[in-house]
Amino acid sequence: MADIIQLLPDHVANQIAAGEVVQRPASVVKELLENSIDAGANSIKLIIKDSGKTLIQVIDNGKGMSVTDARLSFERHATSKIRSAEDLFSLNTKGFRGEALASIAAIAHVELKTKQDQDELGTIIEIEGSEIKNQEVTVTPTGTSLCVKHLFFNIPARRNFLKSNNVELRHIVDEFHRVALAHPDIEFLMYHNGSESFNLPKSNYRQRVVNIFGNKTNEKLVPVEEETEVLKISGFVGKPEFAKRTRTEQFFFVNNRFIKSPYLNHAINSAFEGLMKDGSHPSYFLNLTVDPKSIDINIHPTKTEIKFDDEHTLYAILRSAVKHSLGQFNIAPVLDFDRDRNLDTPYNYENKRASTPTVEVDRTFNPFQEDRTVTQSKSSGSGSSSNYRKEPAKQWESLYVGLESKGTKTDNDFSEVQFESQPENASLFNGDKHVENKQTTYQLHNKYIISTIKSGMMILDQHRSHQRVLYEGLLKHLTVKESVSQQLLFPLRLEFTASEMDILQNLKEDLEHTGFVFLSFSEGNIEITGVPINVPESEVSIILEQLISDVEQEVPDSHFSATDLLAKSMAKSLAIKTGQSLSRLEQEHLVNSLFACKEPTVSPTNKVTFITMSVDDFDKKFI
């Protein structure tokens, strides 16, 4: 039998490996930024064009590479980070596999410029699809500059799977945030299509968070500090009143490496239990420092998942540290039976000596003197009485004292007032009795509406049905561009992060077609002077946050799809919730409105809105 096992060529193996390492332009950004950090750079510049599809360039002032290292860096499994498998449990660097540059060079045009401080000239290497096109000496500053152009140029199928520019740029910004938050001691700059997006100078951790998410973030942060033999925690959590409906401001860093951990996220949520509304998520920016020997990073190509040696201990410590901070800064109620804040000495009186209190006593006071006076007054027959004497309660007959006697004519006598006769409404059927309207709808558990029909009964899901009604109404306003707004007495001011402001700016025109009226779009906040006629003012922030969340998960490419997504998101936010009680008229109106829709059978998310049960179905149940 012929041999069937073959060695894959290097360029094919590199392209396959690129599928794990490079999923989208944001993956390239992450790998290049981490390489710059490992090189010891204290200033890193990221340049993006067309959301990374045309150009991704990272420039740093690190230690650079020699001629041999520059050439060897593009080989598979070539790395300066580890020497043996045991080194995986003592990692202090971001990368360690040596696959990133080889995978990137296999699917893009790469240009590398690098120079060490002691060298006079640097090295330039140009690679296209794993094939080296040029290598020579060049004049370049100390450090490394790496350009990645035309990503997936030789794999069209992979390029077709990329999302729109807005989506890809949002993923790049997310990766940039994760790296920048983990290293506040490094200066980061980001440029997109020639304009500066971020300029983050060296700072402490609190200032780095504020520089990324806006100046208003400063008042939302609660410090968290805890150090034990197992774990050291530092960072901030957000106050419960500023909790978001999305998870965009949740960051865990383990040994300065961003990770995702649902288990540790549950510890934070349990610490906030009882302090937030349902559906809200707390913000947190927490750095966890643990022994490298107690974690395993090498379980996923993206290195965002970590295996901990003792997760239960970390869970307990993290939960306790967050609860302690919330109580220490008076965010959460604390029961302390040993301390009464009312008895604390004010700062102004801390160093003052206590003076002896003076007590004044009325030595002439006699508690029985008053009673004796009353007794003497009664015995003497005097009409005077004490001020403290209790008057006897009057009888109810005294309420009629002073009224005119019966039969006497007063000004309020209506006996001679004449009234117009009541008009008589003519009826075609005078003998018929008035027929009452029978109730045809009933609400079950404040969730379903039961309506009788000729063949049996119909059961509606009130939330999904109302979503369909609102969706078609909003879609009509968005497409026809005719809407009705209600003006607010005072402008409503809302705060958002830079990325959220970009989303709202792109949707501003569509939001105006639904009825929103914007006074200003400034850095970090917007002012609203008008809202759609069926939107309460208190729900505006919830609607916009839900809209931002939906857009972040799925941003469509075409304008019609964007309009459709906006209508779906607003309908979901405004629809009647499960558990809301409806009157009989509201139930009937919802049923009639649903069957006036073009597609009443399903909700905007293609879920069934109602079911029917015939009399025959009931008969079968009683067999």
Side-chain angles (χ1 to χ4, degrees):
M1 185 175 179
D3 298 333
I4 59 175
I5 297 178
Q6 302 178 24
L7 288 174
L8 289 175
D10 288 341
H11 69 279
V12 176
N14 288 338
Q15 289 181 358
I16 295 173
E20 296 181 357
V21 179
V22 184
Q23 300 174 358
R24 59 193 342 144
S27 305
V28 178
V29 171
K30 172 182 178 293
E31 298 292 345
L32 298 186
L33 289 178
E34 290 181 348
N35 282 345
S36 296
I37 294 171
D38 289 340
N42 56 23
S43 178
I44 301 175
K45 183 185 296 183
L46 172 64
I47 301 173
I48 301 293
K49 285 187 179 179
D50 296 332
S51 301
K53 298 177 182 178
T54 303
L55 171 69
I56 300 173
Q57 183 177 9
V58 174
I59 305 171
D60 66 63
N61 62 350
K63 57 187 178 183
M65 290 182 284
S66 64
V67 179
T68 306
D69 288 344
R71 175 65 186 83
L72 195 60
S73 64
F74 290 98
E75 298 294 331
R76 288 194 70 190
H77 308 303
T79 179
S80 62
K81 315 298 173 59
I82 61 174
R83 291 289 182 267
S84 64
E86 288 76 14
D87 294 339
L88 289 173
F89 297 97
S90 59
L91 282 174
N92 294 312
T93 57
K94 301 289 186 181
F96 50 85
R97 292 197 186 99
E99 289 183 331
L101 291 182
S103 300
I104 294 170
I107 54 173
H109 296 179
V110 178
E111 180 187 273
L112 171 69
K113 292 181 180 180
T114 183
K115 183 180 87 70
Q116 292 182 324
D117 191 29
Q118 65 272 16
D119 297 334
E120 294 183 0
L121 295 174
T123 305
I124 180 172
I125 299 178
E126 296 177 358
I127 302 177
E128 295 180 7
S130 296
E131 183 180 350
I132 297 177
K133 297 294 185 180
N134 181 34
Q135 179 175 351
E136 58 186 8
V137 296
T138 186
V139 177
T140 183
T142 301
T144 303
S145 170
L146 204 148
C147 289
V148 178
K149 304 176 183 177
H150 310 301
L151 196 64
F152 301 125
F153 79 99
N154 54 351
I155 313 179
R158 293 284 302 280
R159 190 175 182 88
N160 292 336
F161 275 99
L162 295 179
K163 302 294 183 180
S164 64
N165 285 349
N166 289 333
V167 176
E168 298 300 338
L169 177 61
R170 191 159 301 113
H171 284 287
I172 290 174
V173 171
D174 288 342
E175 292 293 348
F176 181 79
H177 285 172
R178 293 168 182 175
V179 177
L181 281 172
H183 299 277
D185 55 334
I186 299 177
E187 178 188 26
F188 287 91
L189 296 96
M190 177 177 170
Y191 298 88
H192 180 242
N193 290 340
S195 62
E196 183 180 87
S197 300
F198 291 95
N199 186 348
L200 307 176
K202 299 178 184 178
S203 60
N204 58 35
Y205 193 53
R206 189 184 194 105
Q207 290 173 335
R208 176 56 55 89
V209 174
V210 171
N211 289 336
I212 291 177
F213 295 100
N215 295 329
K216 300 297 183 181
T217 312
N218 191 31
E219 61 178 314
K220 307 176 185 178
L221 301 179
V222 178
V224 179
E225 296 287 341
E226 189 67 42
E227 186 170 0
T228 65
E229 297 179 357
V230 180
L231 173 69
K232 179 182 177 182
I233 304 173
S234 63
F236 304 93
V237 295
K239 296 180 180 178
E241 58 265 31
F242 297 106
K244 291 181 168 288
R245 298 180 66 86
T246 61
R247 301 179 184 269
T248 53
E249 294 184 3
Q250 295 185 344
F251 295 89
F252 271 126
F253 301 97
V254 174
N255 296 349
N256 294 330
R257 182 191 302 274
F258 174 79
I259 68 160
K260 298 177 181 178
S261 176
Y263 187 69
L264 296 182
N265 179 71
H266 187 273
I268 303 294
N269 290 333
S270 63
F272 277 87
E273 187 176 1
L275 300 177
M276 297 185 306
K277 299 179 181 178
D278 292 337
S280 299
H281 304 284
S283 302
Y284 53 80
F285 313 88
L286 296 175
N287 296 295
L288 312 181
T289 304
V290 299
D291 186 359
K293 296 180 181 179
S294 65
I295 58 175
D296 184 8
I297 305 169
N298 191 26
I299 62 173
H300 196 274
T302 59
K303 308 182 189 108
T304 56
E305 297 180 10
I306 290 182
K307 182 69 175 177
F308 292 97
D309 187 20
D310 188 0
E311 283 187 330
H312 298 289
T313 302
L314 299 183
Y315 183 100
I317 295 174
L318 183 60
R319 180 176 179 272
S320 300
V322 174
K323 285 184 73 71
H324 175 71
S325 294
L326 293 175
Q328 184 180 10
F329 290 91
N330 297 326
I331 306 301
V334 179
L335 289 177
D336 188 354
F337 298 102
D338 298 328
R339 174 177 175 268
D340 186 355
R341 294 185 61 192
N342 296 325
L343 301 179
D344 290 347
T345 304
Y347 291 111
N348 297 337
Y349 294 89
E350 188 174 1
N351 297 323
K352 290 185 178 182
R353 298 186 62 181
S355 58
T356 304
T358 58
V359 181
E360 295 183 1
V361 179
D362 185 6
R363 300 184 182 276
T364 63
F365 175 73
N366 186 353
F368 302 102
Q369 183 177 0
E370 187 176 348
D371 292 340
R372 191 185 309 114
T373 305
V374 174
T375 305
Q376 293 174 357
S377 301
K378 287 184 178 180
S379 60
S380 62
S382 173
S384 62
S385 61
S386 170
N387 292 332
Y388 296 96
R389 182 178 175 182
K390 224 177 172 184
E391 292 289 337
K394 295 181 179 180
Q395 299 297 328
W396 64 271
E397 292 89 347
S398 61
L399 296 175
Y400 297 92
V401 174
L403 295 178
E404 296 291 339
S405 60
K406 190 175 181 180
T408 308
K409 190 174 181 180
T410 63
D411 295 336
N412 296 329
D413 190 3
F414 298 101
S415 58
E416 296 182 359
V417 178
Q418 295 182 355
F419 297 93
E420 295 182 0
S421 60
Q422 295 292 334
E424 294 184 3
N425 296 325
S427 175
L428 293 175
F429 307 98
N430 293 327
D432 292 350
K433 295 182 179 179
H434 179 65
V435 179
E436 296 182 357
N437 293 327
K438 294 183 179 179
Q439 183 173 353
T440 58
T441 60
Y442 306 88
Q443 193 175 22
L444 178 64
H445 294 302
N446 290 341
K447 182 177 183 180
Y448 300 105
I449 296 176
I450 301 175
S451 178
T452 58
I453 55 177
K454 187 175 182 180
S455 60
M457 73 175 185
M458 177 176 57
I459 305 174
L460 288 80
D461 186 304
Q462 65 183 33
H463 179 64
R464 295 180 185 178
S465 300
H466 199 213
Q467 273 193 57
R468 166 55 64 177
V469 174
L470 292 175
Y471 168 72
E472 293 199 3
L474 290 167
L475 204 58
K476 179 180 178 182
H477 290 314
L478 287 168
T479 52
V480 180
K481 303 186 187 308
E482 293 181 358
S483 60
V484 180
S485 300
Q486 56 180 356
Q487 297 299 310
L488 301 177
L489 186 60
F490 300 102
L492 181 62
R493 189 183 183 91
L494 301 175
E495 300 170 2
F496 297 97
T497 63
S499 59
E500 293 172 343
M501 288 294 295
D502 291 339
I503 296 174
L504 293 176
Q505 187 71 44
N506 295 332
L507 295 174
K508 179 182 177 182
E509 184 178 353
D510 291 329
L511 287 171
E512 289 175 342
H513 293 155
T514 64
F516 283 96
V517 180
F518 297 98
L519 180 63
S520 65
F521 258 81
S522 58
E523 183 178 355
N525 58 70
I526 61 175
E527 287 192 17
I528 301 174
T529 57
V531 295
I533 205 163
N534 57 344
V535 176
E537 183 179 348
S538 58
E539 297 286 328
V540 173
S541 61
I542 299 175
I543 292 170
L544 294 181
E545 287 180 6
Q546 182 66 53
L547 174 62
I548 291 171
S549 174
D550 293 339
V551 171
E552 286 177 341
Q553 295 174 7
E554 177 191 5
V555 176
D557 298 326
S558 63
H559 178 75
F560 174 78
S561 298
T563 303
D564 183 71
L565 178 64
L566 177 60
K568 285 181 180 177
S569 179
M570 291 188 63
K572 182 168 63 175
S573 300
L574 295 172
I576 297 169
K577 303 296 186 291
T578 298
Q580 184 173 342
S581 177
L582 302 178
S583 65
R584 182 168 62 88
L585 292 177
E586 290 172 335
Q587 297 169 25
E588 294 176 354
H589 179 70
L590 179 57
V591 174
N592 295 333
S593 300
L594 176 64
F595 287 97
C597 295
K598 295 181 179 179
E599 188 62 48
T601 57
V602 293
S603 68
T605 54
N606 291 325
K607 294 181 179 179
V608 177
T609 56
F610 68 90
I611 60 172
T612 58
M613 297 185 69
S614 64
V615 177
D616 293 338
D617 295 332
F618 289 107
D619 292 339
K620 293 176 183 178
K621 299 291 183 182
F622 289 94
I623 293 177

